[in-house]
Amino acid sequence: MAENNATLTIGDTSYDLPIMKGNEGPDVLDIRKLYGASDHFTFDPGFTSTASCESALTFIDGDEGILLHRGYSIEELSEKSSFMEVSYLLLNGELPSKTQLVEFSQTISRHTMLHEQLATFYRGFRRDAHPMAIMCGVVGALSAFYHDSTDISDPTHRMISSHRLIAKMPTIAAMAYKYSIGQPFLYPDNSLSYTGNFLRMTFGVPAEPYVVNPVIERAMDRIFILHADHEQNASTSTVRLAGSSGANPFACIAAGIACLWGPAHGGANEAALNMLREIGTPDKIPHYIERAKDKNDPFRLMGFGHRVYKNYDPRASVMQKTVREVLSELKVNDPIFDVALQLEDMALNDPYFIEKKLFPNVDFYSGIILSAIGFPTEMFTVLFALSRTVGWVAQWNEMISDPGQKIGRPRQLYTGPKHRPYPGFDER
Ligand code: CMC
């Protein structure tokens, strides 16, 4: 809602720009009518100063290190809630009653199986394919199997496809893993929790019963909560942009997965653990810190820095606590954890990182936990995609249900040649 105006003066002409106020965070200058009233665009590559939409889902205060979903802090949610409950909250706006939570969990569990023919789809991939490549392909292909829920103008279709995506992602992720190691796929077991079922489909084998370790189940569930949504990040913006054209939800989420894969985004958890392993021992840390500071060296501290957080990422603190719990439960003494702690300490006391406000982000510690649980590094980003799916579908639903929603269509500052005549070959 606009309460005030800002004035923009270009040459002799002034333009009133309404100032919009959210419930938290900076005010926003509404420039929607600027082009038309003037012949100017605004320029913001990387969207460092642009609010691309209104959203009631997630709030981040990057300076204070605050992350809220529907008003609830990530610390409280990861301590007191469950991934199913957070999923309900993100999709519906409020925490569920006990009955609503049971109903919601049952609804999700009814969609955990994949169309049987999708198993043959997996077999078209090479065994050494990256599981993110498989996940991208399989999720994109879901629209070919579930066309009964792709009418995006129908809220029931939208909700069914959202439930399907949340429910099927663990099955898809576990199958990608099983395929890569040559083990048979396991069907879902709906007597288990969302997370317990995922652990069983990933680490169980048909020959033996699989017993879910409750400490690992809880840690995994917390990791899912920590990744559930994060405002208008690159992959979420990709989902919204894809969805703004009216594309079906399966195609939109496949686009989000493709974007998440990059090492500056979801791929950073894999890159962070690889980096910690490359560092190997605490005595090598100073060398890597120097490399990260060297402008002529492309090396960066992976799992460090964030576009929005200029303070400790609150998810990283929860993650650090969870590492201790998991390592102690599994009686793993991973020297890489010590390297990570010392690297964090050294970086946080280095003027370069202090000045640029670079802190550990969610990806810095997650790899150590996932590796201790038994996931290979290639699966890390897959787990991120699995958890982020609820955020993507919640954001997509929010966008599509807005009656004023328009196709996303940015403009540009053109720097190519001006109009020129087409030359024949003898003139080139
Ligand atoms: N190591 C060393 N220097 C860094 C790092 C880092 N990890 N991150 C940023 N900087 C420096 C960068 O060189 C730049 O310096 P200068 O101003 O002298 O040119 C300054 O800090 C600002 O960096 P930027 O790249 O302009 O900032 P950005 O907001 O565009 O990028 C980022 C944010 C997350 C891509 C970046 O910090 C980064 O590449 N971090 C490592 C990858 C990573 O951990 N990504 C996961 C992000 S959290 C999970 C998610 O969103 O998926």
Side-chain angles (χ1 to χ4, degrees):
M1 47 253 50
E3 288 184 0
N4 262 314
N5 285 334
T7 306
L8 172 72
T9 306
I10 306 172
D12 296 333
T13 317
S14 290
Y15 304 92
D16 279 344
L17 302 177
I19 300 178
M20 298 170 76
K21 283 196 178 298
N23 291 338
E24 302 256 24
D27 293 349
V28 168
L29 300 183
D30 180 354
I31 56 158
R32 278 176 291 185
K33 298 210 170 109
L34 181 62
Y35 181 66
S38 81
D39 59 354
H40 290 80
F41 295 145
T42 54
F43 185 61
D44 187 18
F47 308 115
T48 52
S49 299
T50 296
S52 62
C53 61
E54 283 184 41
S55 179
L57 276 141
T58 292
F59 171 72
I60 305 173
D61 182 332
D63 293 325
E64 297 298 324
I66 291 171
L67 167 61
L68 311 176
H69 293 315
R70 303 278 193 190
Y72 299 105
S73 79
I74 193 66
E75 289 87 350
E76 272 204 287
L77 290 172
S78 54
E79 184 67 34
K80 301 177 184 167
S81 188
S82 67
F83 182 66
M84 272 300 92
E85 197 177 46
V86 172
S87 298
Y88 183 99
L89 174 70
L90 287 169
L91 282 173
N92 299 292
E94 294 297 337
L95 285 168
S97 67
K98 259 191 192 164
T99 319
Q100 286 169 326
L101 181 58
V102 169
E103 277 171 12
F104 178 70
S105 304
Q106 274 169 0
T107 304
I108 295 296
S109 67
R110 295 275 147 72
H111 290 293
T112 50
M113 288 204 302
L114 276 189
H115 191 293
E116 193 60 18
Q117 213 170 320
L118 273 164
T120 39
F121 196 80
Y122 275 80
R123 296 187 211 287
F125 287 97
R126 287 168 54 131
R127 292 272 173 191
D128 63 355
H130 196 290
M132 279 298 277
I134 299 183
M135 188 174 238
C136 250
V138 173
V139 173
L142 290 180
S143 53
F145 289 84
Y146 300 101
H147 10 91
D148 59 334
S149 62
T150 51
D151 177 1
I152 63 158
S153 62
D154 180 340
T156 312
H157 273 223
R158 292 206 297 271
M159 209 34 84
I160 294 173
S161 59
S162 302
H163 291 161
R164 279 183 168 150
L165 276 156
I166 295 166
K168 291 182 197 309
M169 284 303 260
T171 317
I172 293 169
M175 285 170 73
Y177 174 66
K178 286 298 191 198
Y179 186 72
S180 73
I181 56 169
Q183 286 187 1
F185 300 139
L186 254 60
Y187 288 118
D189 176 349
N190 289 343
S191 68
L192 299 173
S193 70
Y194 182 87
T195 307
N197 177 42
F198 170 63
L199 288 170
R200 182 189 153 274
M201 285 190 294
T202 306
F203 297 119
V205 286
E208 288 170 16
Y210 179 81
V211 181
V212 179
N213 176 328
V215 176
I216 303 305
E217 183 183 20
R218 179 72 196 119
M220 201 68 226
D221 201 70
R222 195 176 300 142
I223 292 175
F224 289 166
I225 294 173
L226 292 177
H227 289 94
D229 191 47
H230 211 227
E231 206 225 59
Q232 306 311 319
N233 57 83
S235 57
T236 302
S237 300
T238 302
V239 169
R240 279 188 178 256
L241 197 55
S244 77
S245 74
N248 74 69
F250 304 106
C252 297
I253 302 307
I257 295 170
C259 176
L260 185 79
W261 195 357
H265 193 8
N269 51 15
E270 183 175 346
L273 190 71
N274 288 339
M275 174 195 76
L276 291 171
R277 285 193 177 136
E278 189 183 311
I279 298 174
T281 48
D283 57 303
K284 306 238 179 64
I285 295 173
H287 168 67
Y288 282 88
I289 296 233
E290 286 315 306
R291 283 192 61 194
K293 288 156 54 174
D294 182 355
K295 283 277 149 252
N296 299 315
D297 188 333
F299 175 78
R300 283 186 169 201
L301 280 194
M302 298 315 285
F304 248 81
H306 198 275
R307 168 62 63 78
V308 182
Y309 292 116
K310 302 302 165 200
N311 201 325
Y312 212 99
D313 178 340
R315 301 168 302 170
S317 326
V318 180
M319 208 61 100
Q320 203 207 64
K321 260 200 282 169
T322 310
V323 181
R324 291 184 202 282
E325 276 171 36
V326 168
L327 295 187
S328 129
E329 171 65 19
L330 297 175
K331 303 191 177 37
V332 171
N333 184 11
D334 188 348
I336 293 302
F337 183 40
D338 198 36
V339 172
L341 288 172
Q342 292 198 39
L343 175 60
E344 175 189 331
D345 188 53
M346 234 176 261
L348 294 184
N349 285 298
D350 187 292
Y352 173 94
F353 291 89
I354 295 171
E355 194 187 302
K356 294 187 189 304
K357 300 190 174 155
L358 300 170
F359 292 84
N361 59 50
V362 67
D363 294 319
F364 191 63
Y365 286 107
S366 61
I368 301 174
I369 310 177
L370 298 175
S371 167
I373 294 177
F375 292 100
T377 44
E378 301 77 48
M379 281 296 286
F380 294 179
T381 315
V382 167
L383 300 175
F384 194 153
L386 184 170
S387 348
R388 182 55 58 85
T389 295
V390 63
W392 289 331
V393 293
Q395 298 262 0
W396 172 81
N397 271 294
E398 184 181 59
M399 179 185 73
I400 302 287
S401 27
D402 175 356
Q405 184 254 323
K406 281 176 184 281
I407 187 167
R409 177 48 170 102
R411 301 303 301 268
Q412 62 176 7
L413 178 65
Y414 177 68
T415 56
K418 292 192 179 216
H419 186 189
R420 49 185 171 164
Y422 177 84
F425 281 118
D426 52 346
E427 293 171 89
R428 294 180 205 173

